[in-house]
Short mmCIF file of all heavy atoms in Angstrom, two decimals:
data_model
loop_
_atom_site.label_atom_id
_atom_site.label_comp_id
_atom_site.label_asym_id
_atom_site.label_seq_id
_atom_site.Cartn_x
_atom_site.Cartn_y
_atom_site.Cartn_z
N GLY A 287 22.02 77.03 95.14
CA GLY A 287 21.34 77.57 93.97
C GLY A 287 21.88 78.93 93.56
O GLY A 287 21.11 79.81 93.13
N LYS A 288 23.19 79.12 93.67
CA LYS A 288 23.80 80.40 93.36
C LYS A 288 24.79 80.28 92.20
O LYS A 288 25.10 79.17 91.76
CB LYS A 288 24.51 80.96 94.59
CG LYS A 288 23.58 81.27 95.76
CD LYS A 288 24.37 81.81 96.95
CE LYS A 288 23.44 82.13 98.12
NZ LYS A 288 24.22 82.66 99.29
N GLY A 289 25.28 81.42 91.74
CA GLY A 289 26.30 81.43 90.69
C GLY A 289 25.84 80.75 89.41
O GLY A 289 24.75 81.06 88.89
N ALA A 290 26.64 79.81 88.92
CA ALA A 290 26.33 79.13 87.66
C ALA A 290 25.06 78.29 87.75
O ALA A 290 24.54 77.84 86.72
CB ALA A 290 27.51 78.26 87.26
N PHE A 291 24.56 78.08 88.96
CA PHE A 291 23.40 77.19 89.15
C PHE A 291 22.13 77.96 89.54
O PHE A 291 21.11 77.35 89.83
CB PHE A 291 23.73 76.16 90.23
CG PHE A 291 25.02 75.44 89.97
CD1 PHE A 291 26.21 75.90 90.52
CD2 PHE A 291 25.07 74.33 89.14
CE1 PHE A 291 27.42 75.26 90.27
CE2 PHE A 291 26.27 73.68 88.88
CZ PHE A 291 27.44 74.15 89.44
N GLU A 292 22.22 79.28 89.51
CA GLU A 292 21.07 80.09 89.93
C GLU A 292 19.85 79.85 89.06
O GLU A 292 18.72 79.80 89.54
CB GLU A 292 21.46 81.58 89.90
CG GLU A 292 20.37 82.49 90.43
CD GLU A 292 20.83 83.94 90.50
OE1 GLU A 292 21.98 84.23 90.10
OE2 GLU A 292 20.04 84.77 90.97
N LYS A 293 20.08 79.68 87.76
CA LYS A 293 18.96 79.46 86.84
C LYS A 293 18.67 77.98 86.61
O LYS A 293 17.73 77.64 85.89
CB LYS A 293 19.26 80.14 85.51
CG LYS A 293 19.36 81.66 85.61
CD LYS A 293 19.62 82.30 84.25
CE LYS A 293 19.71 83.82 84.35
NZ LYS A 293 19.97 84.45 83.03
N ARG A 294 19.48 77.12 87.24
CA ARG A 294 19.28 75.68 87.07
C ARG A 294 19.37 74.96 88.41
O ARG A 294 20.15 74.03 88.59
CB ARG A 294 20.32 75.12 86.10
CG ARG A 294 20.22 75.67 84.69
CD ARG A 294 21.32 75.12 83.79
NE ARG A 294 22.63 75.68 84.13
CZ ARG A 294 23.77 75.35 83.53
NH1 ARG A 294 23.76 74.44 82.57
NH2 ARG A 294 24.91 75.90 83.89
N PRO A 295 18.57 75.39 89.38
CA PRO A 295 18.65 74.76 90.70
C PRO A 295 18.09 73.34 90.67
O PRO A 295 17.27 73.00 89.81
CB PRO A 295 17.78 75.68 91.57
CG PRO A 295 16.78 76.24 90.61
CD PRO A 295 17.52 76.43 89.32
N ASN A 296 18.56 72.52 91.58
CA ASN A 296 18.06 71.14 91.66
C ASN A 296 18.24 70.67 93.10
O ASN A 296 19.34 70.78 93.65
CB ASN A 296 18.83 70.23 90.71
CG ASN A 296 18.15 68.88 90.51
OD1 ASN A 296 17.93 68.15 91.47
ND2 ASN A 296 17.83 68.56 89.27
N PRO A 297 17.19 70.13 93.72
CA PRO A 297 17.31 69.69 95.11
C PRO A 297 18.34 68.58 95.31
O PRO A 297 18.85 68.40 96.41
CB PRO A 297 15.90 69.20 95.45
CG PRO A 297 15.24 68.94 94.13
CD PRO A 297 15.82 69.93 93.19
N ARG A 298 18.67 67.85 94.24
CA ARG A 298 19.63 66.75 94.37
C ARG A 298 21.06 67.25 94.57
O ARG A 298 21.93 66.48 94.98
CB ARG A 298 19.57 65.83 93.15
CG ARG A 298 18.30 64.96 93.14
CD ARG A 298 18.42 63.85 92.12
NE ARG A 298 19.55 62.97 92.39
CZ ARG A 298 19.98 62.04 91.54
NH1 ARG A 298 19.38 61.89 90.36
NH2 ARG A 298 21.01 61.29 91.83
N PHE A 299 21.32 68.52 94.32
CA PHE A 299 22.65 69.05 94.60
C PHE A 299 22.96 68.95 96.09
O PHE A 299 24.12 68.89 96.49
CB PHE A 299 22.76 70.51 94.15
CG PHE A 299 22.77 70.69 92.65
CD1 PHE A 299 22.13 71.78 92.07
CD2 PHE A 299 23.41 69.79 91.82
CE1 PHE A 299 22.14 71.96 90.69
CE2 PHE A 299 23.42 69.95 90.44
CZ PHE A 299 22.78 71.05 89.87
N ALA A 300 21.92 68.95 96.91
CA ALA A 300 22.11 68.85 98.36
C ALA A 300 22.55 67.45 98.77
O ALA A 300 22.93 67.24 99.93
CB ALA A 300 20.82 69.23 99.09
N ASP A 301 22.51 66.50 97.84
CA ASP A 301 22.90 65.12 98.14
C ASP A 301 24.38 64.85 97.83
O ASP A 301 24.84 63.72 97.98
CB ASP A 301 22.04 64.14 97.34
CG ASP A 301 20.57 64.20 97.72
OD1 ASP A 301 20.29 64.57 98.87
OD2 ASP A 301 19.71 63.89 96.87
N ILE A 302 25.11 65.86 97.38
CA ILE A 302 26.53 65.69 97.07
C ILE A 302 27.33 65.58 98.36
O ILE A 302 27.08 66.33 99.32
CB ILE A 302 27.05 66.87 96.22
CG1 ILE A 302 26.35 66.89 94.86
CG2 ILE A 302 28.56 66.78 96.03
CD1 ILE A 302 26.66 68.11 94.01
N ARG A 303 28.28 64.63 98.38
CA ARG A 303 29.09 64.41 99.57
C ARG A 303 30.58 64.32 99.20
O ARG A 303 30.94 63.86 98.12
CB ARG A 303 28.66 63.10 100.28
CG ARG A 303 27.24 63.13 100.83
CD ARG A 303 27.11 64.09 101.99
NE ARG A 303 25.76 64.09 102.55
CZ ARG A 303 24.79 64.93 102.18
NH1 ARG A 303 25.03 65.82 101.23
NH2 ARG A 303 23.62 64.87 102.77
N THR A 304 31.43 64.74 100.12
CA THR A 304 32.88 64.76 99.91
C THR A 304 33.50 63.39 100.13
O THR A 304 33.09 62.64 101.03
CB THR A 304 33.53 65.76 100.89
OG1 THR A 304 32.97 67.06 100.67
CG2 THR A 304 35.03 65.82 100.71
N LEU A 305 34.50 63.06 99.31
CA LEU A 305 35.27 61.82 99.47
C LEU A 305 36.71 62.10 99.90
O LEU A 305 37.11 61.78 101.01
CB LEU A 305 35.26 61.01 98.18
CG LEU A 305 33.91 60.44 97.73
CD1 LEU A 305 34.04 59.79 96.35
CD2 LEU A 305 33.37 59.44 98.74
N PHE A 306 37.50 62.72 99.02
CA PHE A 306 38.92 62.98 99.33
C PHE A 306 39.44 64.08 98.41
O PHE A 306 38.86 64.35 97.35
CB PHE A 306 39.76 61.71 99.17
CG PHE A 306 39.53 60.97 97.88
CD1 PHE A 306 40.12 61.38 96.69
CD2 PHE A 306 38.72 59.84 97.86
CE1 PHE A 306 39.91 60.69 95.50
CE2 PHE A 306 38.50 59.13 96.67
CZ PHE A 306 39.10 59.57 95.49
N PRO A 307 40.54 64.75 98.80
CA PRO A 307 41.13 65.79 97.95
C PRO A 307 42.00 65.20 96.85
O PRO A 307 42.52 64.09 96.98
CB PRO A 307 41.98 66.60 98.93
CG PRO A 307 42.35 65.62 99.99
CD PRO A 307 41.21 64.65 100.10
N ILE A 308 42.13 65.95 95.76
CA ILE A 308 43.08 65.60 94.71
C ILE A 308 43.96 66.84 94.50
O ILE A 308 43.73 67.88 95.13
CB ILE A 308 42.37 65.18 93.40
CG1 ILE A 308 41.56 66.34 92.80
CG2 ILE A 308 41.46 63.97 93.66
CD1 ILE A 308 41.01 66.01 91.41
N PRO A 309 44.99 66.79 93.66
CA PRO A 309 45.86 67.95 93.50
C PRO A 309 45.10 69.23 93.13
O PRO A 309 44.16 69.20 92.33
CB PRO A 309 46.80 67.52 92.37
CG PRO A 309 46.89 66.03 92.53
CD PRO A 309 45.50 65.61 92.92
N SER A 310 45.52 70.33 93.72
CA SER A 310 44.85 71.62 93.53
C SER A 310 45.21 72.25 92.18
O SER A 310 46.26 71.97 91.60
CB SER A 310 45.23 72.59 94.64
OG SER A 310 44.87 72.09 95.91
N LEU A 311 44.32 73.14 91.70
CA LEU A 311 44.61 73.95 90.52
C LEU A 311 45.54 75.08 90.96
O LEU A 311 45.13 75.98 91.70
CB LEU A 311 43.31 74.55 89.96
CG LEU A 311 42.51 73.74 88.95
CD1 LEU A 311 41.14 74.38 88.76
CD2 LEU A 311 43.24 73.67 87.62
N THR A 312 46.77 75.03 90.54
CA THR A 312 47.78 75.98 91.00
C THR A 312 48.15 76.97 89.90
O THR A 312 48.44 76.58 88.77
CB THR A 312 49.04 75.22 91.46
OG1 THR A 312 48.68 74.33 92.52
CG2 THR A 312 50.11 76.17 91.95
N MET A 313 48.13 78.24 90.24
CA MET A 313 48.45 79.29 89.27
C MET A 313 49.94 79.32 88.99
O MET A 313 50.76 79.30 89.91
CB MET A 313 47.99 80.65 89.78
CG MET A 313 46.48 80.83 89.85
SD MET A 313 45.71 80.78 88.21
CE MET A 313 46.32 82.31 87.49
N HIS A 314 50.28 79.37 87.70
CA HIS A 314 51.68 79.50 87.25
C HIS A 314 51.79 80.73 86.37
O HIS A 314 51.05 80.87 85.38
CB HIS A 314 52.10 78.31 86.39
CG HIS A 314 52.19 76.99 87.11
ND1 HIS A 314 51.09 76.34 87.64
CD2 HIS A 314 53.26 76.18 87.35
CE1 HIS A 314 51.48 75.19 88.18
NE2 HIS A 314 52.78 75.08 88.02
N PHE A 315 52.69 81.64 86.73
CA PHE A 315 53.02 82.77 85.87
C PHE A 315 54.42 82.48 85.31
O PHE A 315 55.42 82.61 86.02
CB PHE A 315 53.01 84.08 86.67
CG PHE A 315 51.63 84.45 87.17
CD1 PHE A 315 51.15 83.94 88.36
CD2 PHE A 315 50.82 85.30 86.42
CE1 PHE A 315 49.88 84.27 88.81
CE2 PHE A 315 49.55 85.64 86.87
CZ PHE A 315 49.07 85.12 88.07
N VAL A 316 54.45 82.06 84.06
CA VAL A 316 55.69 81.57 83.44
C VAL A 316 56.26 82.63 82.51
O VAL A 316 55.56 83.14 81.63
CB VAL A 316 55.41 80.28 82.63
CG1 VAL A 316 56.71 79.68 82.10
CG2 VAL A 316 54.66 79.27 83.48
N MET A 317 57.54 82.95 82.70
CA MET A 317 58.19 83.94 81.85
C MET A 317 59.46 83.35 81.23
O MET A 317 60.13 82.52 81.84
CB MET A 317 58.57 85.18 82.67
CG MET A 317 57.40 85.90 83.31
SD MET A 317 56.29 86.70 82.10
CE MET A 317 57.34 88.02 81.50
N ALA A 318 59.80 83.81 80.04
CA ALA A 318 61.05 83.39 79.40
C ALA A 318 62.22 84.04 80.12
O ALA A 318 62.13 85.15 80.63
CB ALA A 318 61.04 83.78 77.94
N GLY A 319 63.34 83.32 80.17
CA GLY A 319 64.54 83.86 80.80
C GLY A 319 64.67 83.39 82.23
O GLY A 319 63.74 82.83 82.81
N ASP A 320 65.83 83.60 82.80
CA ASP A 320 66.05 83.23 84.20
C ASP A 320 66.68 84.41 84.93
O ASP A 320 67.35 85.25 84.34
CB ASP A 320 66.94 81.99 84.31
CG ASP A 320 68.28 82.17 83.62
OD1 ASP A 320 68.46 83.19 82.91
OD2 ASP A 320 69.15 81.30 83.78
N GLY A 321 66.44 84.49 86.22
CA GLY A 321 66.98 85.58 87.01
C GLY A 321 66.21 86.87 86.79
O GLY A 321 65.20 86.92 86.08
N GLY A 322 66.71 87.95 87.41
CA GLY A 322 66.05 89.24 87.28
C GLY A 322 64.78 89.32 88.13
O GLY A 322 64.59 88.52 89.06
N ASP A 323 63.91 90.25 87.80
CA ASP A 323 62.68 90.48 88.56
C ASP A 323 61.77 89.26 88.47
O ASP A 323 61.44 88.80 87.38
CB ASP A 323 61.97 91.72 87.99
CG ASP A 323 60.75 92.12 88.83
OD1 ASP A 323 60.54 91.52 89.91
OD2 ASP A 323 60.03 93.03 88.40
N GLN A 324 61.38 88.75 89.62
CA GLN A 324 60.48 87.60 89.65
C GLN A 324 59.14 87.92 90.30
O GLN A 324 58.39 87.03 90.66
CB GLN A 324 61.16 86.43 90.36
CG GLN A 324 62.32 85.86 89.55
CD GLN A 324 62.98 84.68 90.24
OE1 GLN A 324 63.98 84.84 90.93
NE2 GLN A 324 62.43 83.50 90.05
N SER A 325 58.86 89.21 90.43
CA SER A 325 57.55 89.63 90.94
C SER A 325 56.58 89.72 89.77
O SER A 325 56.97 89.64 88.59
CB SER A 325 57.66 90.98 91.63
OG SER A 325 57.87 92.02 90.68
N LEU A 326 55.31 89.92 90.06
CA LEU A 326 54.31 90.05 89.00
C LEU A 326 54.59 91.27 88.12
O LEU A 326 54.17 91.31 86.95
CB LEU A 326 52.91 90.15 89.61
CG LEU A 326 52.41 88.92 90.39
CD1 LEU A 326 50.99 89.14 90.88
CD2 LEU A 326 52.48 87.65 89.54
N GLU A 327 55.34 92.24 88.64
CA GLU A 327 55.70 93.43 87.87
C GLU A 327 56.58 93.08 86.67
O GLU A 327 56.71 93.88 85.74
CB GLU A 327 56.44 94.43 88.77
CG GLU A 327 55.57 95.09 89.83
CD GLU A 327 54.60 96.11 89.24
OE1 GLU A 327 54.96 96.75 88.22
OE2 GLU A 327 53.49 96.25 89.78
N ALA A 328 57.16 91.89 86.67
CA ALA A 328 57.99 91.47 85.55
C ALA A 328 57.19 91.33 84.26
O ALA A 328 57.77 91.24 83.17
CB ALA A 328 58.70 90.16 85.88
N MET A 329 55.87 91.33 84.36
CA MET A 329 55.03 91.22 83.16
C MET A 329 54.81 92.55 82.47
O MET A 329 54.31 92.61 81.34
CB MET A 329 53.67 90.61 83.52
CG MET A 329 53.72 89.15 83.91
SD MET A 329 52.08 88.40 84.12
CE MET A 329 51.58 89.12 85.70
N VAL A 330 55.16 93.66 83.14
CA VAL A 330 54.95 94.99 82.57
C VAL A 330 55.71 95.13 81.24
O VAL A 330 56.90 94.82 81.15
CB VAL A 330 55.40 96.09 83.56
CG1 VAL A 330 55.36 97.47 82.87
CG2 VAL A 330 54.51 96.10 84.79
N GLY A 331 54.99 95.60 80.21
CA GLY A 331 55.61 95.81 78.90
C GLY A 331 55.81 94.53 78.10
O GLY A 331 56.41 94.57 77.02
N LYS A 332 55.30 93.42 78.59
CA LYS A 332 55.51 92.12 77.93
C LYS A 332 54.23 91.62 77.26
O LYS A 332 53.13 92.09 77.55
CB LYS A 332 55.98 91.09 78.96
CG LYS A 332 57.23 91.48 79.74
CD LYS A 332 58.45 91.63 78.84
CE LYS A 332 59.69 91.92 79.68
NZ LYS A 332 60.91 92.06 78.84
N THR A 333 54.40 90.66 76.38
CA THR A 333 53.26 90.00 75.73
C THR A 333 52.98 88.70 76.46
O THR A 333 53.85 87.81 76.54
CB THR A 333 53.57 89.71 74.24
OG1 THR A 333 53.80 90.95 73.57
CG2 THR A 333 52.39 88.99 73.59
#
């Protein structure tokens, strides 16, 4: 009953059970060009 569900609690949430994993949500920081700085600092001064 926390976070997004704090104001909408329901006892049936306790009945949820796990089945299997699917592909994860993976963060991508995509920049134009190749080579050069590939750290997050490469975003400095960019749009």
Side-chain angles (χ1 to χ4, degrees):
K288 297 179 179 180
F291 309 93
E292 185 175 2
K293 296 182 179 179
R294 296 177 289 178
N296 193 302
R298 287 194 60 190
F299 290 143
D301 296 333
I302 295 173
R303 295 292 182 268
T304 301
L305 294 174
F306 48 80
I308 64 172
S310 300
L311 272 168
T312 300
M313 291 295 292
H314 293 67
F315 294 85
V316 186
M317 299 292 291
D320 57 351
D323 186 6
Q324 291 181 264
S325 71
L326 296 183
E327 290 288 328
M329 291 188 286
V330 172
K332 305 296 185 180
T333 299

